[in-house]
Amino acid sequence: MAAPRELRVGVYSNEPKVFVDAQGKPAGIFVDLLQLVAAREQWTLQYVPCNWQDCLDALAAGQIDLMPDVARSAERERLYDFHASPVLNSWSQIYRARGSSIQSLLDLAGKRVAVLNGSVQRATFLHMMDSFGLAVLLIDAHSLDEAFAFVQNGDADAVISNYQFGSLHASGFGLVDSGIVFQPAALYFATGRGRNADVLAAIDRAVQDWRSGADAQYAQVLRRWGGPEPGARISPLIWWALAGLGVFALLAGLSAVVLQRQVLERTRHLQVSEQKLATILDSVGAFIYIKGQDYRYQYANHHICELFGRPASEVVGQDDAAFFDPATAAQIRENDRRVLERGERIEVEEVNTHLADGVTRAYLSVKIPLRLPDGSIHGLCGISTDITERSKAEESLRLAASVFESFEGMVVTGPDQRILKANQSYARLTGYTVEELAGQTPALLRSGRHDAQFYEGMRNALRTTGAWQGEVWNRRKNGEVYPAWITVTAVRSAQGEVTHYVGTQTDISQRKAAEEEIRLLAFYDPLTGLPNRRLMTDRLQHSLAAAARSGAGGALLFVDLDNFKDLNDTQGHEIGDQLLRQVAARLGGCVRSGDTVARLGGDEFVLLIEGLSPQPHEAAAQAETVGRAVLHALAQGYSLGGHTYHSSCSIGVALYADAQGVVDELLKRGDMAMYQAKGAGRNTLRFFDPRTQAAVTARTALESGLHEALRDGQFLLHYQAQISQAQGMVGAEALVRWQHPQRGLVSPAEFIPVAEASGLIVPLGAWILRTACLQLVEWGKDAATAHWTLAVNVSARQFRHPYFVEEVLGLLEETGVNPQRLKLELTETLLLDDVEDTIERMMTLRAVGLGFSLDDFGTGYSSLSYLKRLPLDQLKIDQSFVRDLLTDPNDASIARTIVTLAQSLDLGVIAEGVETCEQRDMLASLGCHMWQGYLFGRPGPASALRDTQLGAVA
């Protein structure tokens, strides 16, 4: 007897094999069997409840000594020790919700399957699905109860369980058997690696006694918990041996009756043997029976009785017609006849329909003749195994193979994306043979239309979600590029590693062509190819929304051809269509790539101009520029039917700001403005808002007048004296004036902004600079004025002109002016954009002797880091700081700071807008000793400078 010892035993929920009952006590087949061994070995058992994976982890760590109901695998044998003979045989089944369509392995593709975490079933099932090329999503559960609850709650589509637990609990969760069976398994007790060898040896001794029948308590435990479970299928040789043993037992029983009185002791042994044989035959997971020459049952094991739903007393003496439909009974009788009459041993598949429930199942039956000593046949012994699920699995495999070959285009690759298998459809689609595709990667088909970022996105999706689908342009072997719809699914092992990729490919060329045709018909004008009203309205809606978010302006130009109906009526619609197509082409040339030109119908077109200035008057000016370009483009001659035709159009303009984001309102206003243009004599444009129209008209007139002024020489320069406290008058600033023939002198504040916006400031600035140089040359001829300098304002747009520096240098050479007497006044806005270019241009001009003054200093955003790099000679204090110098301490502080900054940078400083002696004196006290303003004289002709009174200097 072994020494008493205490064993810690893990208990998890897997009823009826092992579980904790309602009273909190361990129960189940393995618990009862272990207690039998413990009683014999004098063990004390301490049960430790835990989840399945926690139990296994505790077993490996030595926190528990023994774990029941463990299936052996190569991986587990590296972690645990097992006894030699299995305690039970089992298999795995898949259960589904009632009403689910899952009936075969193929139905599991893409489904969520719950499984016990860490179980052998998990890896086996995943490997099986990988071999079929089917992708499933495994949902791990800590217990079988949790796994079944996943399906009940809709969190999974199916659940994997050993058939004992499933048979007992499936109905309680509202689940049914799907008919999918796999993984026959032998079940053992397990212990930690290298530990408790004596415990495993004791269990092996008990298992051998149970299997031999020496200990009948094993069968009693199995019956108590619902009978023995079907194990792994036993080979036909074992069945024959068991059948022979049955025949022997039967003959021994008959002989025992005859010799009962003579050999009582032997009879007792034979009875014990018969009991053992019955226990064995009832424990085997197969249907075992014996029939006589009359085709009636003489023996049926426990499984036969369960199958027929009757006790053995009601089975023996009956033939198959009592249990199967007539067709099945006739088939079985024909097979039995071959054994009983011909003496054949047969192995045949029988498809039987049961009378009790009408269910049809498939069986693999092995039938052998039973012979008397004289060789005559007195009966047959049959062993039948239910192969219904195996047949379904085989059918599923055949179906999977058929689907693979018939699908549109299917390919399987390894984790390195090299093709392992491709079907014929995939080969036909790509133009390569199956043999050519093997070993290649799908990159072989790349067309070059997708960049590296596209394929990187595909790889990221496969890494994160395990799947990708989308439209890809591929290239066939012959170089033809075609669109395909691609799906790729990653297949993973039980450890989560990618083992395969399964891809499908469908040629969508016809679908793409149909979609494009539908899109063109739905959104584009078939005559001109321009967007139609539907697409234009959609784009306008998006444009208005974007403008509302960004604050940018926009405009709608409603274009209607003048006298188009006359052309159609006199020349025919074909000529009219030619004109419309040419008009559409010209309109496209009048707008930017981001703008929209659409045809509403007939001779009406719409232009959507986006990204205009947020200021309404500036947006109106920009829209007018586009409108003038359209008027000019459409007024050119057209070649129609071999003849030249001239046309014009009327344009209505509506600004986005006027419509308040309403599409219909904007279209209505553009249409109304177009009719205003028609009423104004056609071949013109009109704005919807009368005030805007008036402003645009005035601006247009002013711009037109500027063109005439430049052409006719209507500009002149006035000069305002610049005074030095020490030297008196040292020079002047040149100020442009416009001598309009009707309006007289026009203020620069009125026409300079228009010149800036229209670009006329460049030629105007060139005229001013030339005129100033010529004046300096005149002053240089007189000793009294030869020392004067002349300051000329240069606008940012003029300074940025590509040829500004070259033009100034040419002007200096042409006029012969002394460059040291010319000073260019720049504004701080130049410092806001491309400072390096500004410095380079100034340095070039400084090298020939020109000076620079920074005008309006203090009103902009000058950066001191850039200021110290600029080749400046002078800072000019803006008149806004001089005006309130005596009353506003802040202005005085700013003026003082500017003077101090100029001194620190070794720059001169001058103040403009000096109108009183007090301002002059205050500036002098701050260190500013050069002035300009009304105190010394207003701007006037050059001749007036000589009369400037310098009394204020004293």
Side-chain angles (χ1 to χ4, degrees), residues 732-750:
E733 178 182 0
L735 301 171
V736 66
R737 296 293 186 265
W738 180 8
Q739 185 66 52
H740 194 278
Q742 286 81 36
R743 298 175 57 189
L745 281 178
V746 179
S747 170
E750 184 177 349

Side-chain angles (χ1 to χ4, degrees), residues 271 336 364 577 592 665 690 750 752 755 775 790 826 871:
Q271 288 174 342
D336 292 351
L364 179 63
D577 289 347
R592 301 161 298 179
E665 182 64 24
E750 184 177 349
I752 289 297
Q775 183 61 56
L790 186 57
L826 308 179

Side-chain angles (χ1 to χ4, degrees), residues 406-452:
S406 63
F407 205 79
E408 177 62 22
M410 238 177 147
V411 64
V412 179
T413 76
D416 60 354
Q417 298 185 2
R418 296 201 173 272
I419 296 175
L420 303 176
K421 185 173 179 59
N423 67 0
Q424 291 296 332
S425 297
Y426 192 89
R428 287 192 301 271
L429 182 62
T430 62
Y432 294 90
T433 65
V434 172
E435 292 73 21
E436 289 174 328
L437 290 168
Q440 298 290 339
T441 70
L444 176 70
L445 307 177
R446 290 185 179 179
S447 65
R449 290 197 180 186
H450 305 289
D451 56 17

Side-chain angles (χ1 to χ4, degrees), residues 897-915:
T897 301
I898 294 174
V899 171
T900 303
L901 177 62
Q903 292 172 349
S904 65
L905 295 175
D906 196 22
L907 299 177
V909 62
I910 185 173
E912 66 177 358
V914 180
E915 298 181 355

Side-chain angles (χ1 to χ4, degrees), residues 134-363:
L134 301 175
V136 296
L137 175 62
L138 293 184
I139 301 178
D140 291 320
H142 296 295
S143 67
L144 288 174
D145 286 313
E146 183 182 28
F148 273 68
F150 282 157
V151 183
Q152 183 183 36
N153 298 331
D155 297 323
D157 302 301
V159 59
I160 301 174
S161 165
N162 63 79
Y163 98 99
Q164 291 102 332
F165 185 90
S167 300
L168 190 62
H169 290 288
S171 60
F173 286 93
L175 309 185
V176 295
D177 180 9
S178 69
I180 303 173
V181 178
F182 67 98
Q183 193 198 12
L187 304 176
Y188 300 81
F189 287 95
T191 185
R193 187 72 173 161
R195 297 194 290 269
N196 302 315
D198 58 327
V199 173
L200 297 180
I203 293 175
D204 254 329
R205 290 193 296 272
V207 173
Q208 291 169 9
D209 288 345
W210 297 338
R211 292 291 190 182
S212 67
D215 188 347
Q217 295 180 92
Y218 175 68
Q220 294 172 3
V221 170
L222 295 181
R223 290 192 184 95
R224 175 187 175 192
W225 294 104
E229 306 300 325
R233 293 187 180 91
I234 304 175
S235 68
L237 291 175
I238 297 177
W239 295 127
W240 302 335
L242 292 175
L245 184 58
V247 174
F248 172 76
L250 183 60
L251 294 175
L254 295 174
S255 299
V257 174
V258 176
L259 301 175
Q260 186 177 17
R261 296 177 182 177
Q262 300 177 3
V263 194
L264 293 177
E265 183 63 24
R266 185 174 179 182
T267 301
R268 185 180 66 80
H269 284 295
L270 289 176
Q271 288 174 342
V272 171
S273 297
E274 183 179 0
Q275 181 182 7
K276 290 180 180 180
L277 177 59
T279 301
I280 292 173
L281 295 179
D282 284 342
S283 300
V284 174
F287 306 101
I288 304 175
Y289 49 88
I290 297 176
K291 294 180 183 178
Q293 281 285 354
D294 58 357
Y295 297 94
R296 295 182 181 276
Y297 288 93
Q298 295 179 352
Y299 168 79
N301 75 346
H302 176 69
H303 287 291
I304 288 283
C305 297
E306 281 190 339
L307 180 66
F308 294 159
R310 302 186 187 184
S313 59
E314 296 183 15
V315 175
V316 174
Q318 300 287 340
D319 63 10
D320 289 302
F323 310 110
F324 301 103
D325 70 350
T328 300
Q331 170 199 310
I332 295 175
R333 190 178 185 88
E334 177 59 27
N335 292 335
D336 292 351
R337 187 180 64 80
R338 293 167 56 190
V339 178
L340 292 172
E341 296 182 10
R342 300 178 187 175
E344 297 181 14
R345 174 199 172 277
I346 65 171
E347 182 175 341
V348 64
E349 182 176 328
E350 297 176 326
V351 180
N352 302 340
T353 302
H354 298 263
L355 277 178
D357 54 13
V359 174
T360 299
R361 301 189 70 81
Y363 300 88

Side-chain angles (χ1 to χ4, degrees), residues 911-923:
E912 66 177 358
V914 180
E915 298 181 355
T916 67
C917 295
E918 289 79 7
Q919 292 173 341
R920 178 200 61 189
D921 295 341
M922 181 67 175
L923 287 167

